[in-house]
Amino acid sequence: MGEQRERTFIMVKPDGVQRGLVGTIIERFEKKGFKLVALKFVWPSEELLQKHYSDLSSRPFFPGLVKYMSSGPVVPMVWEGLNVVKTARQMLGATNPADSQPGTIRGDLCIQVGRNILHGSDSVESAKKEIDLWFTEKEVVGWTPAAENWVYE
Ligand code: IDP
Ligand code: MG
């Protein structure tokens, strides 16, 4: 059961919100069988995004990335389930949508790396950091879906 409680941080980026893709993106994770445990709608500050992307601060695209990410509201979420970090990354597709396989979220719904509509944690460790950065402990809700025994054997 403990393995099913792995968590990842997924965020619809400003272009995903502006293009009306919030529902579509949530639906992909819901239909897969993962459990939503936190969600909000916020217009993030540049300061928060600089922290979120601190690993990329030396990259030439960093200023543009922070500007893009702070250009409008985003939808940060926490999803829970067995191997959710790795599986969610596979569901997202490659960072550059030009390389994302058809059938992945990015592969189906976007075209350029600078407008790739959503974020997903790349490891269990970064998921923990990102969840703590975007949510308080109280905002992450533990619950048991009625269908849990039909998703897991
Ligand atoms: P990831 O989002 O798939 O984890 P990262 O390498 O962590 O990819 O990069 C974070 C975000 O920075 C990407 O999702 C994308 O929005 C942006 N990004 C990455 N590489 C480039 C680039 O070469 N040009 C513009 N934006 C980039
Ligand atoms: Mg990343």
Side-chain angles (χ1 to χ4, degrees):
M1 272 315 251
E3 290 172 341
Q4 291 170 20
R5 298 217 187 90
E6 185 174 298
R7 288 174 173 172
T8 194
F9 177 77
I10 301 291
M11 175 163 56
V12 184
K13 296 181 176 184
D15 48 336
V17 173
Q18 297 287 353
R19 292 179 53 203
L21 296 172
V22 174
T24 302
I25 289 169
I26 290 175
E27 188 179 25
R28 303 285 280 246
F29 291 94
E30 254 189 334
K31 280 192 168 161
K32 174 75 174 167
F34 289 131
K35 171 165 61 166
L36 181 65
V37 293
L39 173 147
K40 57 188 167 185
F41 185 74
V42 285
W43 192 322
S45 66
E46 287 193 15
E47 194 192 356
L48 178 62
L49 292 160
Q50 278 159 1
K51 276 190 201 152
H52 175 78
Y53 282 126
S54 57
D55 291 358
L56 300 172
S57 60
S58 61
R59 305 295 288 272
F61 58 82
F62 184 74
L65 174 60
V66 171
K67 197 169 168 223
Y68 151 56
M69 288 296 300
S70 60
S71 67
V74 297
V75 180
M77 301 175 262
V78 181
W79 288 88
E80 190 178 286
L82 184 65
N83 281 324
V84 67
V85 171
K86 186 176 172 216
T87 303
R89 288 284 291 192
Q90 289 169 337
M91 290 167 67
L92 260 61
T95 302
N96 188 339
D99 303 322
S100 312
Q101 292 298 311
T104 64
I105 299 170
R106 286 169 174 163
D108 287 348
L109 300 173
C110 57
I111 295 170
Q112 277 195 313
V113 69
R115 295 290 183 272
N116 63 359
I117 70 169
L118 82 170
H119 168 83
S121 309
D122 62 9
S123 67
V124 172
E125 199 188 7
S126 42
K128 285 204 177 89
K129 265 193 227 157
E130 292 167 2
I131 292 166
D132 286 348
L133 182 64
W134 289 86
F135 290 97
T136 64
E137 218 170 292
K138 274 191 172 174
E139 286 172 331
V140 183
V141 180
W143 63 292
T144 305
E148 192 161 270
N149 293 335
W150 301 101
V151 173
Y152 295 103
E153 60 182 344

